[in-house]
């Protein structure tokens, strides 16, 4: 799954207990893990990313 927020493009990977949100920008990459306790579904994760200043 992919999510675009403004000029940022995130690649999402689902695991059994968490989501991995990865952003690459040239040689720099940032990876954030979001627990499924916070976001149980893809829809919840999408809204979390779009409304959270962390992303």
């Amino acid at each position: 799954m992919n999510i675009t927020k403004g000029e940022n493009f995130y690649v999402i990977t689902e695991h059994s207990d968490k989501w991995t949100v990865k952003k690459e920008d040239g040689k720099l990459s940032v990876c954030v893990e979001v627990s499924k306790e916070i976001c149980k579904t893809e829809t919840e994760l999408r809204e979390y990313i779009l409304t959270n200043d962390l992303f």
Side-chain angles (χ1 to χ4, degrees):
M1 173 172 77
N2 300 314
I3 297 175
T4 302
K5 180 179 178 182
E7 296 179 11
N8 297 315
F9 181 76
Y10 300 99
V11 177
I12 312 301
T13 306
E14 182 176 8
H15 305 278
S16 62
D17 61 340
K18 64 185 175 188
W19 303 93
T20 301
V21 182
K22 186 173 183 182
K23 179 183 183 292
E24 293 184 359
D25 188 10
K27 294 182 180 180
L28 176 68
S29 69
V30 177
C31 183
V32 176
E33 294 179 350
V34 179
S35 171
K36 284 200 171 176
E37 291 180 12
I38 297 171
C39 301
K40 293 176 180 50
T41 66
E42 289 181 17
T43 303
E44 289 178 358
L45 179 64
R46 180 177 301 276
E47 184 165 333
Y48 182 76
I49 290 172
L50 294 175
T51 60
N52 194 315
D53 290 335
L54 174 65
F55 300 97

